[in-house]
Amino acid sequence: MNHFRTNLGRTTLAVAGATVVAGVSLAAFAETRHPAVETLVEMGYPAPQEGELVHIPPTMADLEASDLHPETKQVIRRGYDLFTNTQQLRGENVFNDMNCSSCHLGEGRQPFSAPVWAAAVTLPNYRGKNDHVNNLEERIAGCFAYSMNGTPPEYGSDDMLALTAYHQWLAKGAPMYPDQPIYGRGFPHPDRPEELSYENGQALYAENCAVCHSEDGSGLYQDGEYVFPAPWGDGSNNWGAGIVRLFTAAGFIKNNMPLGQPLSLSDQEAWDIAYYMNSQERPQDPRYTGDVAETLERFGPTFHRHSLYGQEGPNGDILADHANWGEKGDEVKPWNVGQPRFEELKAQ
């Protein structure tokens, strides 16, 4: 286990240690709070609202104690291993310094850090990013294409099956297509301040973030081993990843950063750091048409209206006005980008 994964284990918000059965879900009421949720509230996170779905994902220890077939357990273990050490697919499916657990902290279980079990019970569903109904495999494929700046494992492949099995294991006990809002889902973002400050974000980044992610945003390696991810540059996610949206970055930072000190930054500070971080260059969006203005015209009304893509950067240059694809170069094309689906249904 590398240093990064060990640190995540220490800062998982007591959810893992508090799980007592393999998957617990309940509609939230004050008198039925799970101990893990009590810990979250003590740390400053909001208490569940009445009627919210609270799900405590099972652990890998729960997996070993379960009655699942040994072969099934083996596949779920493989999914866990891929999720927490996606770098083992470097050069094949991953072309940057990211693991799945770089964004989905606590092994994908942590509330307010986009816990991934929610995808397993809310998909298939429509996704505006690609304008069609996505299943769980396609949602994971999107993370490879954008957040990993790579190309996904094929549908139905051993690696994709393992990843989906791990997601579904974490969802054990949660209802499919829940009618209630999900407690701790996504990266809930604070209200956006009236003004954002690049200069303040730069100073705050140097003070709070650079020790792990480096002054130049290149991340941190120790003895040649990946430790902390790069928030920008060729080792980071590309311009199509969800975290390039300012509100997503602000929500992640507010709820999870600095690591081990969640909720320690003010709303303004979280937004300013997000603004500074997302004003830096990174590999091109795989949906790039060859012209940044044309790409912005196509995706500006939807996805990129929340990012700085195609806007003037701190040096006066237009952000993303380049054909830099990072480590993957221009030969690797993610197979899942721009693939329409259900065209015959839309034609009816």
Side-chain angles (χ1 to χ4, degrees):
M1 180 178 290
N2 66 28
H3 178 66
F4 183 52
R5 290 159 66 190
T6 302
N7 273 314
L8 287 184
R10 289 173 183 160
T11 56
T12 301
L13 305 180
V15 173
T19 302
V20 292
V21 295
V24 178
S25 290
L26 62 151
F29 294 95
E31 65 271 17
T32 57
R33 259 189 219 160
H34 192 277
V37 177
E38 289 287 358
T39 300
L40 288 168
V41 174
E42 289 171 5
M43 295 179 70
Y45 289 95
Q49 299 298 302
E50 185 171 326
E52 280 191 312
L53 174 64
V54 178
H55 175 66
I56 309 299
T59 66
M60 297 306 287
D62 292 325
L63 176 67
E64 300 309 319
S66 75
D67 293 330
L68 288 175
H69 192 280
E71 293 287 337
T72 304
K73 291 182 181 181
Q74 186 176 40
V75 171
I76 294 172
R77 284 190 217 105
R78 171 61 176 165
Y80 167 84
D81 184 46
L82 286 169
F83 190 91
T84 55
N85 182 22
T86 326
Q87 286 293 297
Q88 62 190 287
L89 302 179
R90 186 75 173 256
E92 180 180 0
N93 303 109
V94 177
F95 291 87
N96 63 10
D97 297 337
M98 297 290 180
N99 293 316
C100 298
S101 56
S102 298
C103 295
H104 307 281
L105 304 186
E107 304 167 354
R109 308 172 68 251
Q110 187 160 309
F112 303 97
S113 187
V116 298
W117 65 266
V121 298
T122 57
L123 295 172
N125 204 351
Y126 175 79
R127 191 179 187 207
K129 187 167 185 173
N130 52 21
D131 193 29
H132 62 247
V133 171
N134 290 218
N135 64 7
L136 180 56
E137 286 197 345
E138 187 165 12
R139 184 65 183 84
I140 294 170
C143 290
F144 277 93
Y146 299 107
S147 296
M148 306 291 184
N149 193 37
T151 188
E154 293 293 329
Y155 282 168
S157 65
D158 289 356
D159 286 345
M160 186 64 86
L161 175 58
L163 282 165
T164 58
Y166 179 61
H167 281 62
Q168 290 175 312
W169 166 249
L170 294 183
K172 179 177 172 59
M176 282 296 297
Y177 291 124
D179 294 325
Q180 314 102 300
I182 294 173
Y183 176 70
R185 186 179 187 183
F187 305 120
H189 61 86
D191 291 338
R192 178 168 177 156
E194 290 187 10
E195 299 290 338
L196 302 182
S197 171
Y198 179 92
E199 291 75 17
N200 191 45
Q202 184 176 27
L204 288 164
Y205 177 88
E207 178 183 349
N208 296 279
C209 315
V211 64
C212 293
H213 301 286
S214 300
E215 288 281 355
D216 63 356
S218 60
L220 181 62
Y221 276 76
Q222 288 181 352
D223 300 324
E225 185 179 5
Y226 161 66
V227 181
F228 292 110
W232 66 82
D234 285 357
S236 189
N237 54 271
N238 62 44
W239 274 108
I243 204 164
V244 305
R245 298 173 299 183
L246 291 178
F247 72 85
T248 303
F252 176 80
I253 292 166
K254 174 70 177 181
N255 287 289
N256 299 285
M257 294 290 121
L259 192 63
Q261 303 174 59
L263 305 173
S264 61
L265 297 168
S266 70
D267 295 355
Q268 180 77 56
E269 289 171 334
W271 274 95
D272 286 349
I273 294 172
Y275 184 57
Y276 169 71
M277 181 179 78
N278 284 352
S279 295
Q280 313 304 318
E281 275 297 358
R282 58 193 66 253
Q284 182 58 258
D285 188 328
R287 300 169 294 181
Y288 182 57
T289 65
D291 180 85
V292 68
E294 182 180 79
T295 307
L296 185 61
E297 182 178 0
R298 182 175 177 185
F299 297 105
T302 53
F303 181 83
H304 279 307
R305 69 192 177 96
H306 301 292
S307 83
L308 298 173
Y309 186 89
Q311 307 301 314
E312 185 175 318
N315 299 321
D317 298 330
I318 299 300
L319 293 171
D321 189 11
H322 59 72
N324 172 34
W325 302 100
E327 182 184 310
K328 71 180 179 183
D330 59 4
E331 298 300 317
V332 177
K333 307 292 184 185
W335 53 261
N336 61 312
V337 172
Q339 296 296 321
R341 303 191 70 173
F342 300 106
E343 293 300 294
E344 69 281 1
L345 295 179
K346 295 178 181 179
Q348 292 177 4

